[in-house]
Amino acid sequence: MSCLSNPCEILVVGAGAVGGYFSSHLANQDNVRVSLVCRSDYDAVKSRGYEIISPKGNYTYQPDGIYRSATEYDRKADFILVCSKVLPEADVAEMIRPAVNSKTAIVLIQNGINIEAPVAEAFPDNELISGIAYIGVTRIAPGKISHTDGGTLKFGNYPKGLSEKTQLLCDMFNSNNIPASAHEDIQRIRWEKLTWNAPFNPVSVLTMADTRQLVNTPETCQLAKDIMAEVCAVAAAAGWEQKSDIIERQIEFTRQFRPYKPSMLADFEAGRPMETEAIMGNLVREAEKLSVPVPCSKSVYAMLKLRAKT
Amino acid sequence: MSCLSNPCEILVVGAGAVGGYFSSHLANQDNVRVSLVCRSDYDAVKSRGYEIISPKGNYTYQPDGIYRSATEYDRKADFILVCSKVLPEADVAEMIRPAVNSKTAIVLIQNGINIEAPVAEAFPDNELISGIAYIGVTRIAPGKISHTDGGTLKFGNYPKGLSEKTQLLCDMFNSNNIPASAHEDIQRIRWEKLTWNAPFNPVSVLTMADTRQLVNTPETCQLAKDIMAEVCAVAAAAGWEQKSDIIERQIEFTRQFRPYKPSMLADFEAGRPMETEAIMGNLVREAEKLSVPVPCSKSVYAMLKLRAKT
């Protein structure tokens, strides 16, 4: 770990279920110190740490440091892992700025597309790593996380390429039972994930249906395929061509998976803000920029945006 | 009224708010007898008649005859006015069959497109008149109707043309304070009405928003325009070209109108079945038949269909 401090200092910002779960696997090693900025659950996590309920076994986890804000962080972060939802009202650059130093690699483990640019602009001299999580985790109480599915990560540098630090980050996760892979073209994978998120997240909210109902109703299954085809067309125009069988693979995956409420529906039902802009708004704006027609995605985006307010 | 009996016998079937309101204007004349088939509100209407609350003045109205079913009707109907919602489970032909005689003109005052064919097939020798109502009326209690807006009618023969009986029906309404016009091309007007119904009805349900919110949100206003353009394209392919300014007129009309919950949203909120197939299903099927792409309408239809079940 030549390019890292010893111990390696990791700060997790936006430490909800995703941040809490993944960081729990890195903690409690001699050569890694994990700290978290944890606003709403500060008291619970400070006193009791995280409690994680998982089919792989329940456990508790006490981070090395807990802060209410990045301004309190007094170490030199090798990595800042941003695990918050991507919301227009959440300014990631401002959230992490007090903790960023010249050697900090900023790691965005977040949904959506075109989410990196504001951070890249705010910290032009820092390494920016884009990450994608495949996991089913929910915060069920302050400091309490329910892990139900998956738990893997993919990383790559923004806008593309693969650095030594990105590879080291993957190694750290892999050594700690979190399968993590490094990719030269992480944006292609971001678009691939969007082929699932763009149909199933908003359509679940607009119909109040889970994934099983969506794929088993012929009309909404076709709508999901139509939106996926639109995402693939925009991805290709943006230079990130998808595999030709991706649509049938995503549908088949969803059919085989247990009935599932996508995160947007879970957020909507709980009255929490949804990642409407990161997932649908950025898709529609990219399509417009590249002159790719996306009538189904645009319809769904328009209705989702209003539904969030009614 | 040479082609009609004296008195002229009118039977209203599916007598909810629309049937109750319009028939109230024809009743209580020497030369017209109005009877109603009124299933759910039979007891209330039989004992007290209809009570109509209207900005034009409140009044009560006692029909000449009230029946639980058309089988009880013992007169020879000149006109049967069908005012029910168009639902897959409601077989209009079976509902009216016992009351149809060789001289009966069947009048459908209903929403949607392509709703006449099943009735035309069931009664190939009867005159079939297609009617469109422009009115805001709601049944607020058994036998009690709240009238808020409008109250005009347009009629024409199916599939096209204009008969003496259609003209006489218009005359009867016009003589009784209901503006009614006769049209050679009633299908063109049906498609015109669909340019409003196809966007505002389903999108209001999917977003839980009223018309004011829909037109004042730029994205949903654009979606409404996109759906209207699709309806116009299908209408043109079906031979019913719409006027070039129809989209801006419909949007402007909706902007000027008071905030309004379209009938589908009112039905949805009350747990009643919605006219999903008559309005959206028939549009999408006609588009497919004529090979006109309607991605926005199809998206909305798919989600509405599932939403009705969740």
Side-chain angles (χ1 to χ4, degrees), chain B residues 194-237:
Chain B
L194 192 69
T195 63
W196 195 93
N197 274 332
F200 288 107
N201 267 295
V203 176
S204 70
V205 174
L206 293 169
T207 60
M208 301 299 282
D210 65 31
T211 52
R212 181 66 57 85
Q213 293 169 293
L214 293 178
V215 287
N216 282 350
T217 303
E219 291 85 357
T220 46
C221 186
Q222 184 58 49
L223 173 59
K225 291 178 185 174
D226 292 346
I227 293 174
M228 287 182 196
E230 291 179 356
V231 174
C232 289
V234 183

Side-chain angles (χ1 to χ4, degrees), chain A residues 17-18 21-22 52-55 133-139 145-152 193 257-258 260-261 263:
Chain A
V18 171
Y21 178 81
F22 283 116
I52 293 163
I53 313 298
S54 169
Y134 300 84
I135 188 166
V137 276
T138 318
R139 171 194 170 283
I145 296 169
S146 164
H147 167 233
T148 48
D149 301 289
T152 63
K193 192 170 183 193
F257 206 69
R258 65 181 170 81
Y260 177 70
K261 281 189 183 181
S263 62

